[in-house]
Amino acid sequence: MTLMKSLMSAAAAVAMTAGAAQAEPALIFDLGGKFDKSFNEAAHNGAQRWANQTGKSYREIELQSEAQREQALRRFAEAGANPIITMGFAMADPLAAVAGDYPDTKFVAVDVTWLDAPNVRQIGFAEHEGSYLVGMMAAMASQSGTVGFIGGMDIPLIRHFGCGYAQGAKAVNPNINIVANMTGTTPAAWNDPVKGSELTKAQISQGADVIYAAAGGTGVGVLQTAADEGILSIGVDSNQNHLHPGKVLTSMLKRVDVAVYDAMKAGDEVETGVFTMGLAQEGVGVAMDDNNAALVSEDMSKAVDKARQDIIDGNINVVSYYESDSCPALQF
């Protein structure tokens, strides 16, 4: 009987070990869908890179409503997914409500940095640093002396993008005119390319000849209309240069793909805590490729490279919107 119990215990231990080894990561996309060509798609690309390299699989869900946020977290946690990766600041409150109920599950929160949760890896990005560089490029490329910024949902995160952009533009041309608009005040603002198109036309009528879109799926409409109207645009998060070759000046890369890939690679051993990815960590940057090579002069490239290093070295301080909920270079 004792031998039988020992064998059963050993079998149970093996089963538990096997189950743990087979735990799959899970990815919760924010509203707008995984093929938004921007924020969510960058996460998808990072997850696919991990899956292709390892031959392993992951679970995923594309949220359709706010109510699904907590439901998705609990469903994946109950199913044993580990780690569970969430996209977007709006996952903060659901994570705060759920993470403590599953202390053995690791959660990864992209764009969340303020939770008191020991089992959550929180990842923020220095978007203002990368936006400073594309702001410089916009000012150098502008012929009219007016550049534009179109944000998605009017939240501090997007003002953070716009503030860095304005500082970079004014570093090149202190007298430059910057036109800024937000798409809306609800999550629908992330996926409204028609409104993005309308705002682009309105900014063009005000003289803008380079427009930076930090608006998720809405930005697709901005880039399309800019190309149709013969002005330059700047993409965001993913490299969007290829969407309109020769008409997208650059894209401000936010390496969400790297954050997701690294989390999946680490698995349930992923380190928790708060982490920031800026220029020094190659967490943000500008996209240079064959699609925009003809648009980027040697002087522009050298200026951006120098500014990048100066920011890393501390010789240029890009003011963060978060510091005082205001921006010295741009009034929203």
Side-chain angles (χ1 to χ4, degrees):
M1 180 67 100
T2 302
L3 177 60
M4 181 62 71
K5 285 184 177 180
S6 297
L7 290 172
M8 290 174 66
S9 297
V14 169
M16 289 177 65
T17 302
Q22 292 171 5
E24 291 179 320
L27 178 57
I28 301 176
F29 294 103
D30 205 353
L31 297 175
K34 66 180 176 182
F35 295 121
D36 62 357
K37 302 187 187 304
S38 185
F39 180 68
N40 284 320
E41 193 156 334
H44 168 70
N45 291 339
Q48 283 298 112
R49 177 183 161 206
W50 172 82
N52 292 338
Q53 287 186 1
T54 63
K56 298 179 180 178
S57 61
Y58 61 93
R59 306 179 187 195
E60 65 177 36
I61 183 172
E62 296 180 70
L63 297 178
Q64 303 299 319
S65 70
E66 295 292 325
Q68 288 183 297
R69 295 186 187 279
E70 185 170 332
Q71 295 172 3
L73 284 169
R74 292 191 182 280
R75 189 186 78 181
F76 283 138
E78 291 288 348
N82 205 359
I84 299 171
I85 304 166
T86 70
M87 302 303 300
F89 74 96
M91 289 301 298
D93 289 346
L95 276 167
V98 171
D101 294 340
Y102 303 93
D104 296 329
T105 299
K106 298 285 184 66
F107 297 88
V108 178
V110 175
D111 276 355
V112 175
T113 57
W114 56 90
L115 297 181
D116 182 13
N119 57 330
V120 180
R121 178 181 179 87
Q122 303 176 58
I123 304 170
F125 292 82
E127 295 96 350
H128 60 316
E129 293 181 354
S131 294
Y132 183 98
L133 300 183
V134 301
M136 289 179 63
M137 295 177 69
M140 294 181 77
S142 176
Q143 299 295 314
S144 68
T146 296
V147 298
F149 174 80
I150 295 176
M153 186 176 175
D154 190 359
I155 54 174
L157 172 64
I158 299 304
R159 292 184 174 217
H160 191 53
F161 278 87
C163 189
Y165 175 69
Q167 291 174 74
K170 289 189 175 182
V172 170
N173 177 6
N175 298 315
I176 198 163
N177 181 39
I178 303 167
V179 184
N181 295 105
M182 297 293 185
T183 304
T185 58
T186 70
W190 301 121
N191 195 26
D192 192 346
V194 173
K195 183 66 177 293
S197 176
E198 293 171 353
L199 290 173
T200 302
K201 290 178 180 178
Q203 291 196 356
I204 291 172
S205 73
Q206 296 174 71
D209 60 354
V210 185
I211 298 177
Y212 176 29
T218 298
V220 175
V222 177
L223 270 59
Q224 178 69 61
T225 302
D228 291 345
E229 298 292 327
I231 71 160
L232 295 174
S233 62
I234 296 174
V236 76
D237 294 343
S238 296
N239 184 348
Q240 299 181 317
N241 296 356
H242 68 282
L243 296 180
H244 303 281
K247 297 181 179 181
V248 179
L249 178 61
T250 188
S251 297
M252 201 294 280
L253 299 176
K254 179 173 172 178
R255 300 308 302 270
V256 171
D257 59 325
V258 174
V260 170
Y261 171 84
D262 287 347
M264 287 191 172
K265 184 177 180 180
D268 58 10
E269 298 298 319
V270 67
E271 184 180 0
T272 57
V274 179
F275 302 84
T276 299
M277 298 177 66
L279 287 174
Q281 297 78 28
E282 298 187 356
V284 294
V286 297
M288 303 288 193
D289 57 27
D290 290 344
N291 294 305
N292 70 335
L295 303 173
V296 181
S297 67
E298 185 176 350
D299 286 346
M300 191 185 295
S301 182
K302 286 181 178 178
V304 168
D305 288 344
K306 183 179 186 304
R308 176 184 180 278
Q309 194 59 49
D310 281 343
I311 292 170
I312 292 172
D313 293 341
N315 297 325
I316 293 177
N317 175 42
V318 186
V319 177
S320 168
Y321 181 84
Y322 299 133
E323 290 177 9
S324 60
D325 290 332
S326 63
C327 180
L330 181 63
Q331 298 301 312
F332 291 95

